[in-house]
Amino acid sequence: MEKDVYILGIETSCDETSIAIVKNGVEDVYTCIRTQMETHALYGGVVPEIASRMHTESITLVLEDVMSNSKVDWDMIDAIAVTYAPGLMGCLLVGLEFAKTLALIHKKPLIAVNHIAGHIYANNLNKQIIFPSLGLVVSGGHTELVLMNGDYDFEVVGSTLDDAIGECYDKVARILGLSYPGGPNVERYALEGKHTYDLPIPMNDESLNFSYSGLKSYLINLVHNEKQRGKDIDKYDLARSFQDVAIEQLVRKTRLAIQKYGIKNVIVAGGVSANKYLRSELEVMCKDENVELSIPPFKYCTDNATMIAAAAYPLYKEKKFASFDLNAKSQERYFDKKD
Ligand code: KG4
Ligand code: ZN
């Protein structure tokens, strides 16, 4: 029998300081997440300088929690995995330097993980990804359909031509005057509203691409014009109308890709996969198409280190270790081949 592999993952790319231990790439042994959300909400969004400073303050406390409550000791840990890209530079550096120090002190290999690959591998914490799978990646910076033929074998078959869906949710939250974090707040308002606004349907074509900037601009103009006419906007109804149109595009394009590529398995990744309406619409569509759908449990959809440790496991098996001159990168595409 193969020996169990324990990977300690570290995630600090944005506003969550998280460390987790994952067994064999699939089992969450222990996860600690410290969020800075309340602090950034005061400013209406993540303030990079404050975020990196807060990571520095939290990271040792988070590690202490993991090492004292996980029942895993350093001897059992096989590797240290860390998010090195993409994200806020100062934030990534806190996690990366911390990971390097731990790897050096405890003599463990270091594994570099791309944050979006982490979101994708969060699916393994649910049930193991079956290859080939079609991935729908929906985050603050990504909206794409990707064929996954094996571990780290990605082929993008559709993507946004402009804004990402998460970015659009955040922008709409601002337009409606809703506080940070935008996405979950728009969802909350949408839940109580009705679809009363007639919004343009973006990318109403047969391609696998997406677009969100037209929808965003339409909403900005709509709110602006109504204000000028002294009319009130119904925030609940507008949030609902927006959400219906925004999510419909994701579901329709995913269905088109399923049909085009004869897909049997769909996985969903990224922060927007926490959206309940998206989850339920995908469920209905996949059932209709007779396709298996995997969405990570709610707690693994937003940023966490569990997904980073899970994503490191296939790299560990391939002995793809990073050297100590590894640097953080604010931008890096998860689907580019690394070697
Ligand atoms: O994947 P993620 O952590 O971002 C990147 O790594 O880029 O996801 C963050 C994005 C934000 O734009 C946030 O507003 C959105 O995911 N988001 C949501 C929800 N929860 C988070 N959007 C819609 N509905 C949600 N429930
Ligand atoms: Zn993320």
Side-chain angles (χ1 to χ4, degrees):
M1 219 175 73
E2 275 188 54
K3 177 191 159 308
D4 287 329
V5 173
Y6 289 85
I7 298 180
L8 181 135
I10 301 176
E11 156 65 38
T12 61
S13 67
C14 192
D15 60 345
E16 261 92 29
T17 317
S18 178
I19 298 182
I21 295 175
V22 170
K23 186 174 151 186
N24 300 331
V26 293
E27 189 185 323
D28 178 0
V29 176
Y30 193 85
T31 296
C32 178
I33 306 174
R34 263 195 165 211
T35 182
Q36 309 172 357
M37 207 144 25
E38 278 181 20
T39 304
H40 298 296
L42 301 173
Y43 303 93
V46 179
V47 184
E49 172 61 26
I50 295 176
S52 45
R53 210 180 321 146
M54 288 183 79
H55 283 306
T56 315
E57 287 162 8
S58 297
I59 199 152
T60 42
L61 302 175
V62 172
L63 180 70
E64 198 176 32
D65 175 45
V66 172
M67 295 320 289
S68 49
N69 294 313
S70 65
K71 299 189 179 70
V72 174
D73 59 35
W74 283 109
D75 287 345
M76 291 165 73
I77 290 171
D78 295 286
I80 312 277
V82 63
T83 309
Y84 75 106
L88 298 168
M89 197 61 181
C91 295
L92 289 166
L93 283 171
V94 176
L96 184 55
E97 291 310 306
F98 196 70
K100 283 183 190 174
T101 311
L102 290 177
L104 203 62
I105 295 172
H106 298 287
K107 299 189 173 52
K108 308 287 180 189
L110 183 69
I111 301 177
V113 176
N114 176 292
H115 181 82
I116 298 296
H119 277 299
I120 291 172
Y121 278 95
N123 280 283
N124 273 348
L125 299 161
N126 182 24
K127 52 184 181 212
Q128 275 209 267
I129 302 171
I130 301 163
F131 302 120
S133 264
L134 171 73
L136 172 67
V137 181
V138 280
S139 75
H142 295 72
T143 309
E144 53 224 5
L145 284 163
V146 54
L147 291 179
M148 212 176 158
N149 296 314
D151 280 317
Y152 285 90
D153 181 352
F154 303 113
E155 183 194 341
V156 176
V157 293
S159 65
T160 182
L161 303 177
D162 40 62
D163 296 349
I165 171 104
E167 188 183 353
C168 189
Y169 259 92
D170 294 336
K171 195 75 200 199
V172 168
R174 267 178 191 258
I175 299 166
L176 297 181
L178 309 183
S179 64
Y180 173 86
N185 279 332
V186 172
E187 178 179 22
R188 212 159 43 79
Y189 271 63
L191 207 64
E192 291 179 39
K194 293 182 294 297
H195 191 136
T196 55
Y197 289 92
D198 194 15
L199 303 178
I201 308 285
M203 297 301 285
N204 202 5
D205 62 6
E206 297 300 299
S207 82
L208 298 181
N209 293 326
F210 306 89
S211 168
Y212 283 99
S213 81
L215 186 58
K216 177 187 73 185
S217 306
Y218 188 90
L219 275 156
I220 293 174
N221 289 334
L222 180 88
V223 172
H224 185 74
N225 290 342
E226 294 293 89
K227 254 190 200 157
Q228 277 198 330
R229 282 198 239 142
K231 281 194 181 169
D232 280 337
I233 283 280
D234 186 317
K235 292 182 183 184
Y236 297 94
D237 288 353
L238 190 53
R240 169 67 188 272
S241 309
F242 160 73
Q243 174 155 284
D244 282 356
V245 171
I247 300 285
E248 197 269 340
Q249 184 181 179
L250 295 177
V251 178
R252 201 169 63 77
K253 297 289 170 126
T254 307
R255 189 196 287 268
L256 280 178
I258 289 171
Q259 292 169 347
K260 181 169 177 187
Y261 292 98
I263 297 295
K264 290 280 158 246
N265 297 284
V266 170
I267 59 171
V268 191
V272 183
S273 61
N275 186 285
K276 292 196 191 72
Y277 183 61
L278 172 63
R279 295 168 83 98
S280 71
E281 287 296 288
L282 282 172
E283 259 164 38
V284 172
M285 183 274 286
C286 284
K287 206 163 170 208
D288 191 42
E289 292 290 328
N290 206 9
V291 161
E292 276 288 319
L293 172 70
S294 164
I295 311 180
F298 204 67
K299 61 182 174 180
Y300 302 128
C301 289
T302 44
D303 291 349
N304 63 86
T306 338
M307 66 184 196
I308 301 304
Y313 183 68
L315 300 173
Y316 177 87
K317 282 195 298 180
E318 299 272 312
K319 292 194 166 40
K320 287 193 173 154
F321 301 134
S323 69
F324 281 102
D325 59 10
L326 173 69
N327 204 353
K329 285 188 191 164
S330 56
Q331 308 258 337
E332 190 203 55
R333 302 190 317 175
Y334 66 94
F335 48 81
D336 285 340
K337 283 248 182 289
K338 308 284 182 308
D339 52 355

